[in-house]
């Protein structure tokens, strides 16, 4: 199979490209490198012992997509390309709707023109919004999102649902990721945020390596066992493997279906700090700070639908998440640079 992976040079994309190459698929990566380095793809190719085609370009660029679909016989598209910083999205909503929503619409139009009908979309647990009961289950109505980023993911799911209704040959799966962390076990690829990290684990890892002095824990007074927020952390390689299972499932003519990809278990911020300290042997200085706007107290996945229908479940736990994060960070103190 030949798979187009948009955003394939990024964090989750690069791990998925590796898994695809290793199972023998041909891969074309389209990435505008707005939040990634091509070095990730070079390392993926080295690990896989096999090349991917790399196209530097934008999903909003129709001519680029047309050329790409004309030059390569694509069987399915995995669409990671997006802007993903929640806080930034509240300051730049138009950029987020343009890049994420319009970018997806342009991509779908060019897929239709090229007669490519299989599509996997990177959705997010954030589409459940602030009122959904925990654990999140796919039958809960989505909505009530708390940021333009979250709303962009929600809007794209609606676009996919409506397009699948209108075009019976269109097969699409929205994968709702919970909190992806960790790195490939080689330590050659991993998460390399630009600037100060927004997400918990890259922040902890940069404190451990000495790039940041201490962690601020956002809120110690939540209604959770230790007062800090609980999230469902999922190892990025488990997540990558979920895409392979979803690709297999698309062959069964799915219409539009959404699946949670999570571990089904919540860990608090303090538990994450402790687990990282155990794996790395480093002490993480931290201070309890005020709550961060928009954070929910606790959520995790009901991942039983993916288990039943995709034959997918996580196989790596918190120890592997921490070990692999630290392995990547300590081998690459400055990321890909
Ligand atoms: P990332 O920023 O590392 O990867 C996204 C990639 O897309 C980057 O390489 C970037 O250069 C590229 N890109 C952005 N806009 C583009 C455009 N218009 N054209 C071409 N390339 C473009 O992010 P990630 O963490 O790997 O996330 C991948 C996907 O998963 C995103 O859609 C994100 O919203 C979604 N997601 C991420 C998380 C998370 O916590 N990391 C959770 C849920 C969902
Ligand atoms: C995890 C926990 C913070 C940083 C975000 C998006 C979500 C999805 C995944 C894309 C929270 C706490 C964090 C820090 C802290 N992305 N924290 N100090 O907010 O659950 O999810 O990324 O779809 O849409 O919202 O992840 O890693 O930012 O935070 O105490 O410096 O760590 O308050 O409880 P979050 P996160």
């Amino acid at each position: 199979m030949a798979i187009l992976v948009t955003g394939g040079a990024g964090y989750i994309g690069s791990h998925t490209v590796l898994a695809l190459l290793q199972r023998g698929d041909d891969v074309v990566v389209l990435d505008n490198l707005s939040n990634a380095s091509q070095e990730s793809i070079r390392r993926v190719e080295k690990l896989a012992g096999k090349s991917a085609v790399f196209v530097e370009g934008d999903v909003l660029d129709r001519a680029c997509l047309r050329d790409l679909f004309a030059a390569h016989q694509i069987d399915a598209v995995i669409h990671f390309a997006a802007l993903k910083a929640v806080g930034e999205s509240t300051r730049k909503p138009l950029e987020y709707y343009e890049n994420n929503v319009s970018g997806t619409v342009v991509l779908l139009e060019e897929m239709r023109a090229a007669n490519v009908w299989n599509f996997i979309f990177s959705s997010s647990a954030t589409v459940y919004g602030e009122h959904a009961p925990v654990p999140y289950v796919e039958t809960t109505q989505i909505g009530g999102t708390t940021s333009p980023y979250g709303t962009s993911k929600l809007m794209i799911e609606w676009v996919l649902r409506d397009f699948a209704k209108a075009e019976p040959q269109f097969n699409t799966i929205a994968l709702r990721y919970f909190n992806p962390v960790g790195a490939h076990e080689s330590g050659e690829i991993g998460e390399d945020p630009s600037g100060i990290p927004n997400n918990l684990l890259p922040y902890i890892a940069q404190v451990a390596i000495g790039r940041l002095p201490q962690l601020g824990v956002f809120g110690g007074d939540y209604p959770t066992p230790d007062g800090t927020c609980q999230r469902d952390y999922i190892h990025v390689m488990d997540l990558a493997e979920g895409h392979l299972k979803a690709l297999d499932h698309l062959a069964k003519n799915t219409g539009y279906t959404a699946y949670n990809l999570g571990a089904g278990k919540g860990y608090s911020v303090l538990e994450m700090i402790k687990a990282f300290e155990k794996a790395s042997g480093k002490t993480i200085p931290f201070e309890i700070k005020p709550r961060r706007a928009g954070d929910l107290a606790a959520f995790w996945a009901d991942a039983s639908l993916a288990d039943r229908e995709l034959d997918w479940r996580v196989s790596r736990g918190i120890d592997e998440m921490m070990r692999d994060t630290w392995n990547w960070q300590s081998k690459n103190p400055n990321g890909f640079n």
Side-chain angles (χ1 to χ4, degrees), residues 10-12 31-32 34-36 58-59 80 82 84 99 149 153:
Y11 171 44
I12 305 168
D31 200 302
N32 66 4
S34 60
N35 195 37
D58 199 296
V59 291
F80 292 104
K84 65 158 182 176
N99 196 72
Y149 167 75
K153 293 289 172 183

Side-chain angles (χ1 to χ4, degrees), residues 6-14 30-37 40 57-61 79-85 98-100 103 121-126 149 152-153 175-181 191-192 199 239 243:
T6 75
Y11 171 44
I12 305 168
S14 57
L30 174 70
D31 200 302
N32 66 4
L33 299 180
S34 60
N35 195 37
S37 151
S40 66
D58 199 296
V59 291
L60 283 155
D61 182 346
H79 181 39
F80 292 104
L83 297 175
K84 65 158 182 176
E98 168 77 353
N99 196 72
N100 295 2
F121 170 61
S122 296
S123 189
S124 166
T126 195
Y149 167 75
S152 77
K153 293 289 172 183
L175 296 174
R176 296 176 182 159
Y177 313 156
F178 281 66
N179 285 59
V181 296
E191 189 170 10
D192 181 19
N199 295 112
L239 190 56
H243 293 74

Side-chain angles (χ1 to χ4, degrees), residues 260-274:
N260 291 339
L261 294 188
K265 180 174 170 37
Y267 286 104
S268 74
V269 177
L270 297 184
E271 287 171 325
M272 293 295 280
I273 296 172
K274 243 191 219 129

Side-chain angles (χ1 to χ4, degrees), residues 84 86 122-127 147 149-150 153 177-181 197-204 215-219 222 228-231 233 269 291-292 294-297 299:
K84 65 158 182 176
V86 173
S122 296
S123 189
S124 166
T126 195
V127 298
S147 70
Y149 167 75
K153 293 289 172 183
Y177 313 156
F178 281 66
N179 285 59
V181 296
N198 297 307
N199 295 112
L200 178 65
L201 212 49
Y203 204 109
I204 291 178
L215 172 74
V217 173
F218 298 140
Y222 282 98
T228 65
C229 295
Q230 294 170 309
R231 294 289 182 272
Y233 296 93
V269 177
R291 293 180 178 194
R292 181 173 67 178
D295 274 346
L296 304 181
F299 62 83

